[in-house]
Amino acid sequence: MVLDHLSTSWSVFQALFLEALPFLLIGVALATMARHWLPPGPVLQCLPDHPLLGPLTGAAMGFALPACECGNVPVTRQLLASGSPLPTAMGFLFAAPVLNPIVLASTWAAFPDQPWLLWARPAAGLAMALLVATLLRFQKDAAILAPNLLQERGFHQPAGAGSLLERSAGLVGSAYPVPRPLPSTGRGKSWRLSVLHGTDELVKLSSLLILGCAVAALLQTTLPRDWLLAVGQAPTLSVLALMLLAVVISVCSSVDAFLALGFASQVTPGALLAFLVLGPVIDLKSLGLYGTVFCRSAMVFVGLSCGVLALLAGQWTNFLML
């Protein structure tokens, strides 16, 4: 009996991993190229600072520069450090993991019989990015950004953007008299360094993918079917359960659809959508990455905001489809 369970779990694991691996490879390769060709600071400072146009521009950048959440956080940090307006950078940070061709392709490959996900997932992801970016737009940089990033960003702001103290240029009471130099970007950046970063990212993501596929396979084959159906078919409980699962096992937006495939038939449509929308934005690994961009209070605010919005999206979907 135990051997049968293990054999079934191994078969499900192999299927999930082999389906997801090509999309992970494509996503990491594109993220590496996006970081290598990031434009210089003066270009980024010309991006819109409008509460709505800024996030929309960032979302469009996410579509043009496909990256999973592990690839777009370093890019977002460089955008902010180079002087990009906060709304544009936040729109890119929260929309890029969902609103890009690789994720759309993987969603279609995993759920060809559920075409509604092809528009519902990017629409919900875009709405979440716009709302969270707009909420952050009305707060000061010092209340949102990590101290080190704030130092670099203040150093690259125009002279009239604020006082010397606010810019923290090292002349008035700064803890870092000379900001650390930014890593070079653009055509002058070594391809060897970019490839090394991409390889390191691939190794880390691959290990997380293996773990996520293993958990998904075990959940599908070992959990009591009656219990899973009872939780999965409850309109609200199913959404909350899948949100928690997304935080724990989400690996990469390029492959999350394949992880969800293992239990998609046993949960409500809203729970499935909540998993696919929340996982790419808030999960265990992204929380560590967000520490390079946000201060702790901002991370709590972002996590709660995204969770509430994912819950509302799931509930609304269940209301319409059940």
Side-chain angles (χ1 to χ4, degrees):
M1 189 69 173
V2 175
L3 291 179
D4 291 339
H5 276 298
L6 290 177
S7 177
T8 303
S9 298
W10 175 245
S11 299
V12 174
F13 167 80
Q14 290 183 90
L16 292 173
F17 181 75
L18 293 177
E19 285 182 323
L21 185 60
F23 290 94
L24 178 62
L25 294 173
I26 295 172
V28 171
L30 290 175
T32 300
M33 291 186 287
R35 284 198 300 269
H36 183 82
W37 283 315
L38 192 67
V43 177
L44 301 179
Q45 293 171 5
C46 296
L47 293 172
D49 192 28
H50 190 272
L52 181 60
L53 185 59
L56 286 175
T57 302
M61 291 170 57
F63 187 85
L65 301 174
C68 66
E69 58 271 31
C70 289
N72 77 321
V73 172
V75 176
T76 299
R77 190 185 190 284
Q78 186 61 47
L79 286 170
L80 290 168
S82 300
S84 169
L86 186 70
T88 300
M90 292 299 101
F92 175 82
L93 176 64
F94 297 118
V98 176
L99 196 69
N100 72 65
I102 304 300
V103 173
L104 296 179
S106 66
T107 304
W108 175 82
F111 298 102
D113 57 336
Q114 300 191 49
W116 66 273
L117 280 174
L118 291 179
W119 62 264
R121 188 184 188 187
L126 178 60
M128 177 183 292
L130 291 176
L131 290 171
V132 175
T134 301
L135 291 174
L136 293 174
R137 168 68 171 76
F138 296 106
Q139 302 184 47
K140 294 183 178 180
D141 288 1
I144 300 173
L145 303 180
N148 289 344
L149 175 56
L150 192 63
Q151 294 285 335
E152 298 177 14
R153 179 172 173 79
F155 185 72
H156 286 84
Q157 292 297 306
S163 67
L164 292 177
L165 180 61
E166 289 172 336
R167 290 175 60 213
S168 195
L171 300 179
V172 181
S174 172
Y176 299 91
V178 179
R180 296 178 299 171
L182 293 174
S184 60
T185 57
R187 297 186 183 276
K189 186 176 181 179
S190 167
W191 265 112
R192 180 176 177 274
L193 182 60
S194 297
V195 171
L196 286 176
H197 281 302
T199 302
D200 181 63
E201 182 177 289
L202 178 61
V203 171
K204 293 177 180 178
L205 284 178
S206 297
S207 62
L208 290 170
L209 175 62
I210 292 173
L211 178 61
C213 290
V215 172
L218 288 173
L219 287 176
Q220 181 183 358
T221 57
T222 61
L223 284 180
R225 185 59 57 93
D226 294 340
W227 180 86
L228 190 59
L229 289 175
V231 173
Q233 297 305 314
T236 301
L237 186 59
S238 64
V239 176
L240 292 172
L242 265 291
M243 287 172 57
L244 178 61
L245 195 63
V247 173
V248 176
I249 73 168
S250 182
V251 175
C252 177
S253 58
S254 300
V255 299
D256 280 350
F258 294 102
L259 298 182
L261 185 61
F263 45 79
S265 62
Q266 301 163 350
V267 299
T268 62
L272 180 60
L273 179 63
F275 178 91
L276 294 175
V277 171
L278 183 64
V281 180
I282 301 295
D283 59 16
L284 294 181
K285 68 180 185 305
S286 67
L287 291 177
L289 294 173
Y290 282 163
T292 65
V293 176
F294 298 113
C295 64
R296 291 183 180 178
S297 59
M299 289 177 61
V300 173
F301 176 80
V302 167
L304 292 176
S305 299
C306 292
V308 170
L309 293 173
L311 177 61
L312 292 176
Q315 290 284 71
W316 182 251
T317 301
N318 282 340
F319 175 76
L320 294 176
M321 300 187 66
L322 291 182

